[in-house]
Amino acid sequence: MDKNIFIEKILIPYLIPILLILFFSVIILLFLNRFAITNINSINKKLKRKINVFLPEILLGGLSETGKNLEIEKFKNDIHFNNYWFKELLVKSLIESKNSLKGVAEAEFRKIYEAFDLDKHSYRFLNNLFVYYKKKGIYQFEMMDYKPAAKDIEPYMYHRNKKLSANALIAYIILTDKDVSFLINIKYEPSFAKEIEILEICKIRKFKRPDLLKDFLLSDNDFIVRIGLRLAVYYNASDLESEIANCMDHKNPQVRELAYKALGSLFLVDKTDEMVSRYGNETANNQTQIILSLREIGTKDHLDFLKPLLLMSHRNELEIARAIKSIDSNTLLTMAHDNKKVNKIEKHINENLLK
Amino acid sequence: MIDYFSTFLTWFEYFILVFMLSYILFFLVLAVSSYLAIDKNLRLKYDLPKDLMLKSNQVLGISVVVPAYNEGDIIVDNLKSFLSLQYPKFEVIVVNDGSEDETLDKLIKNFDLKKVDFYYDEKVKTRRVLGHYKSTNPVYDKLLVVDKINGGSKADASNAGVNSSRYPIFLCTDMDCILKNDTLTKLVLPFMVEKKRVIATGAGIRISNNCKIKEGTIEEVRFPKKMFPRFQELEYVRSFLFGRMAWSRMNALLLVSGALGMFDKKIFFEAGGYWNESFGEDFELITRMRKLMHDKKEKFAIRYIAESLCWTEVPSTTKLFVTQRSRWGRGLVQTLKVHRKMFFNPKYATTGILTFPFFVFFEFLVPILELLGVIIILCSLIFLEVNYDFMLYLLLAVFLFFQSITLISILIDEFIFKNYNNLKEILILIIMSIIEPLIYHPINTFSYLRGYWLFFTRKQPKWGDMKRNGSLTLDLNS
């Protein structure tokens, strides 16, 4: 195409005006957006200031029930409490206060939560069509420890969106405070992070040992088996020795790793030889775990396995040395005397500041 | 002769037209992909771990590796800031890389350090390690200091730190970096939630020049005052919004910044660690780790978090800036040369077919084409009858297009992250973006070309080149 035709037919009449419009539109949008941010920030600041005065007064002010009700009504009259932004700010402040103020009764938070219809606000999110808002609703119920919502959250544990169902699962466990045996019905595999969360909930909330813990270890769902092994350690379930030992044959290396860990933590010494016999066929991670467990349950019979390993291995030297030391410290001393590398390792593991 | 030049010019114009169109097309694809990636990332807000997980000792342990070379001025405050990061299981490893100032003395004195018998397993070879130090004060029990002979590169110091680490994941950062309190949690999360093996993660980096800093933590985020940091602010926003996030979404990220990168230690060692001879060790490492995973035929992911988690100083003078960018230029051409077998090699999937060629054509080649373009324009002005209208209108169109791209990135940044304090800062950014092609861009292009030149003429730089000078320190504390 001739350059002049390109300039006259395309560049000047179309391309440059379009780009100019785009350029100036973005600048205008930038200004409008900044104007909106400034306005919202200023409104939020005012509301936040009021909330920051109101919340401590109710939660820590030592007011009587009537006094609290009066304060709440007064505050309601003072602000537009049906405003979306206000509700969002109040829920956020309540969650922050709940996390930071220890010793304030749950009922106090719930009273405010319900008085300002924040429960309905969270339900509106839960019933929203979009998964993001459902997760937001679940989050608010969970953080507010709002137990009546448990039954409404329950169906979402089986939702096809895996992230939503995993979030609902955690919230449901927290809100129901009941035996986690129902986990056996879970068909999907939440992430490792959720595994840890579930274990921590059981610890912090001091849940009783699940009735179906044994079935957890026999589940087809690897996630449930992993949870089962973690819980078996936490509940000191040495009665499940054979089920735990069977997990050493599991196809999933992560399950096997937890099985080795459980054998060590529960001091199931009868299974030590079986565990050691698997060492050569295991993944690198699992080999490390076997060494770590041997530190707990190894006997002098295992020194013949550990000693050459320490001299030849280029991995896990410190763990192997620690295992030998815990079985027989003299053996390690003798080895350290004869071998320069072991000598350095021995010094390292005996160094108090490195423990 | 002029006829030959005229014919060459015609072909060159066609080449540039095709090149520009593909460049623009690629940019648009990246922009859309980036927006989708950020949107997806922000929707994960309610999936983040709650306090419960952050109290658990079952989480993946993280070693924070911080090389230090002559960092005596800032080391005490900044190290305290690293030690106060929020995560249940981590250690901080400071590698004193043969500092000539009082770095080690200050560490020993302020953190009650004592030399310990540490079994140093040199999985990646480094310059000699002189000793390891631990604190006798239980408050600092997370701290380990490695003292070594200067290896002439950040890579060598980082390798010594990783060799001394105890956890399976490590974060590599710089002593002048200021991290957000929840950085470790956010960066490690992909390692704990993704089905694919995550081998590295990174996150957005912002500029700390002029921020109000107290005891190693940012008290107030302030907009840079000097011209070069302002240009770089613009550049960081653009590269973050139109690059990293998009590559992350395509699982084709080839660069995780050396200032903030978290890695799977096992893969790091298998890949051979940081390459001591590299001029761009961060870029080279990721390229090598990707290559390794493809060679092993193992599925993997490298993720980028849509949030700024780290604030770092950037060069505020032309001299420092040119030195830094020359080094980046050298690093780019060196990595592309070393890993040239990946170029359009289907064995390396998206890395070989997409990312690597992108870096060759749109990162490496662009400064050369720009120089060539300037030479050709000058020759044309001398030898040919130039159609000035065509040249100026086309220049205006290109200028407006890239202005719009830059402004859109500021708009997205402002819309999603609200990183700026007031209208004045937005206005400054707009002005900066308008003058960028006239001032900043030519210097940047020159620096890269200088880097290429230095690489091909085999001139050896030193890590100390990029050491912060008085003016940077002044910026940080003013």
Side-chain angles (χ1 to χ4, degrees), chain B residues 378 413 472:
Chain B
L378 290 176
D413 188 51
L472 275 171

Side-chain angles (χ1 to χ4, degrees), chain B residues 400-418:
Chain B
L400 284 173
F401 176 79
F402 285 102
Q403 279 305 303
S404 304
I405 288 280
T406 305
L407 293 180
I408 289 170
S409 65
I410 301 171
L411 181 66
I412 297 174
D413 188 51
E414 176 69 340
F415 189 70
I416 299 176
F417 300 110
K418 300 171 183 62

